[in-house]
Amino acid sequence: MSHYKDIVIIGGGVIGCSIAYHLGLRGFKSTIIEKESVAARASGKAWAVIADPYSLQMAELDSPEITLFHSPKGETVGHWKELFNITYTRLHEVARDLKNRGGMDIEIASCPYDSLALTEEDEAGYKELIEDFHHKGFRELLWMEPKEIRKVWPDVPPETRGSLRTIIHQVEPYKYTLGLAQAAEKMGTRIKQGDVVGFGTKGGKITSVKLASGKEIGCDAAVIAMGPWSWEGTKWLGNELAMQLVLEGCLRMEIDQDIPPHGLASGKYSILSRVGAKELILGSAGVPHLRQDHWGTALSEDQKYEILSHCMEMVPEVVENARLVEYRGDLQGWAPGPTYHKPSMGRLPSWDNGYVATRFGTLGMCQSLGAGSLMADLIIDGQAPMAHENLMNHLDPANG
Ligand SMILES: Cc1cc2nc3c(=O)[nH]c(=O)nc-3n(C[C@H](O)[C@H](O)[C@H](O)COP(=O)(O)OP(=O)(O)OC[C@H]3O[C@@H](n4cnc5c(N)ncnc54)[C@H](O)[C@@H]3O)c2cc1C
């Protein structure tokens, strides 16, 4: 059991805040240092779909062309599916806690997510997959007839043959991240604004965090949760982590009618109707040309219109009558490519009291509670829980 008294977490995104929250649940106070404000970057701008882990596994099995789920080494999200499982199964319980403890309603809802089958081939593929999953004992995937989909989205294309349905959760990403931070604060966590530029070290231990202002904050453990900027944090400690930058955007649209919470997808494009709001989120995930290897976060008009036009093919009337409220997006950190998701989580090589949790790509919300709880266990107990030891070894930053 750790005796850390001053744990500093660098980065107030969903991962840093989840680690602080889970440390708090186990009675450990920490300090989050954030350069801008909590949830200012990707964590406040996501859709945030918390996908059913089975559907992720299904997607990777089903579509080898979705590079999002594959690595050059043949690894897939299935190798760290437990991070998704933990988040998916605990989210409602945590949402209640964030309301009670932190006073934050994160606008959680569970709802169907329909991947449209528009061709005979799509239909056959989905039905085969469903049968295969049912045969293996997983009943979470269902086939839906067009009339079921049209109850919510009357104008899906006439050629719609049905859909493959899974159940997702959705939250409001800014409120979710802030809710974790506020609940952690109630348990003694401090949140400070500061631009971290380096570490003070002594005898192989990290002793402080240095800020651009010249101030130094003493610590006896440091956690780098700087999202795509974690390469910089790890570099300061001589362990630069390879990082590929991906810029992803989505559109928030206002609508006049009430559409119950629901997700609709065709290929890589999706539409999400939000809980309690006359609002849609339109977007795409893992579309390679959204990748930009630079630090700018300007979203291009071409990308915006590509999302709009693909979504308009799915539900023309709904999208045509919707009003654009916000086009938002930000950088994500991915493992080196071409497009690959493997997170990096654990203790930094050659630093007993230095940790990192990053590279969650376009699926960081889906992994947030898994990552936060396992990192807190590792920091406090000095090792991951036995049930997750292999997983943590696999994601160990020592493996690049
Ligand atoms: C458009 C879009 C849609 C998405 N949709 C989904 C979705 O539906 N489901 C899903 O699971 N995921 C989704 N994601 C991905 C998800 O948002 C990210 O994986 C997740 O937010 C990453 O969290 P993080 O805490 O690692 O990084 P970030 O949110 O980037 O947080 C890192 C923080 O570190 C701070 N920081 C950096 N450098 C310093 C420094 N020197 N000093 C102090 N602080 C510093 C930054 O200011 C930032 O606040 C989406 C992302 C985008 C952009």
Side-chain angles (χ1 to χ4, degrees), residues 13-15 34-35 43 46-47 49 194 196 227 332 361-366:
V14 73
I15 300 298
E34 166 55 49
K35 188 176 179 170
S43 298
W47 301 13
V49 164
V196 176
Q332 302 162 351
T362 191
L363 299 170
M365 295 283 151
C366 293

Side-chain angles (χ1 to χ4, degrees), residues 10-16 33-37 39-43 45-50 194-197 225-229 232 236 248-250 328-332 357-358 360-367:
I10 308 159
V14 73
I15 300 298
I33 305 180
E34 166 55 49
K35 188 176 179 170
E36 299 181 23
S37 55
R41 306 306 301 255
S43 298
K45 299 171 182 172
W47 301 13
V49 164
I50 315 291
D195 179 5
V196 176
V197 291
M226 295 159 65
W229 300 274
E232 209 172 12
W236 298 326
E248 185 179 332
C250 63
R328 68 187 187 199
D330 217 315
L331 290 167
Q332 302 162 351
T358 187
F360 295 92
T362 191
L363 299 170
M365 295 283 151
C366 293
Q367 299 172 83

Side-chain angles (χ1 to χ4, degrees), residues 377-400:
D377 288 345
L378 175 69
I379 294 165
I380 296 169
D381 300 329
Q383 59 189 50
M386 193 181 273
H388 299 118
E389 234 171 77
N390 289 342
L391 171 80
M392 292 299 277
N393 285 341
H394 188 60
L395 302 181
D396 192 327
N399 299 328

Side-chain angles (χ1 to χ4, degrees), residues 48-252:
V49 164
I50 315 291
D52 168 356
Y54 292 107
S55 67
L56 285 167
Q57 198 176 22
M58 173 275 295
E60 67 184 15
L61 293 173
D62 186 34
S63 312
E65 77 278 7
I66 303 183
T67 50
L68 166 68
F69 297 114
H70 291 264
S71 83
K73 297 176 198 152
E75 285 181 317
T76 67
V77 290
H79 289 82
W80 41 94
K81 196 158 76 90
E82 191 53 16
L83 300 180
F84 297 86
N85 281 337
I86 294 171
T87 311
Y88 188 79
T89 51
R90 282 187 52 216
L91 195 66
H92 274 278
E93 163 211 322
V94 169
R96 281 191 294 275
D97 191 48
L98 300 189
K99 201 170 203 173
N100 294 338
R101 205 188 292 266
M104 180 64 76
D105 176 359
I106 65 169
E107 297 176 12
I108 189 168
S110 298
C111 63
Y113 188 88
D114 285 316
S115 298
L116 294 178
L118 299 176
T119 64
E120 216 172 299
E121 202 187 341
D122 287 348
E123 180 178 348
Y126 284 155
K127 283 186 169 167
E128 195 183 322
L129 196 77
I130 292 167
E131 202 182 305
D132 183 44
F133 265 67
H134 285 198
H135 182 68
K136 288 176 181 150
F138 302 121
R139 304 232 143 241
E140 286 74 9
L141 307 184
L142 293 174
W143 175 256
M144 284 292 131
E145 294 299 329
K147 67 173 190 308
E148 292 301 321
I149 310 162
R150 290 204 169 94
K151 281 182 188 164
V152 181
W153 307 95
D155 60 335
V156 288
E159 67 269 29
T160 302
R161 306 176 70 88
S163 74
L164 183 147
R165 175 168 290 182
T166 61
I167 303 297
I168 57 161
H169 306 315
Q170 55 163 295
V171 298
E172 206 292 314
Y174 180 77
K175 291 183 178 173
Y176 173 48
T177 306
L178 194 60
L180 288 167
Q182 283 184 188
E185 225 175 355
K186 287 273 154 63
M187 294 183 279
T189 298
R190 281 162 301 178
I191 301 174
K192 291 190 174 169
Q193 202 270 332
D195 179 5
V196 176
V197 291
F199 293 99
T201 63
K202 197 174 176 188
K205 294 229 179 272
I206 300 164
T207 52
S208 67
V209 166
K210 296 180 178 176
L211 303 186
S213 62
K215 216 173 146 189
E216 220 164 310
I217 297 174
C219 65
D220 54 16
V223 187
I224 296 169
M226 295 159 65
W229 300 274
S230 299
W231 66 272
E232 209 172 12
T234 51
K235 188 176 163 192
W236 298 326
L237 292 169
N239 276 296
E240 184 174 341
L241 204 61
M243 183 81 67
Q244 177 164 281
L245 307 177
V246 172
L247 181 61
E248 185 179 332
C250 63
L251 308 169
R252 193 157 67 85

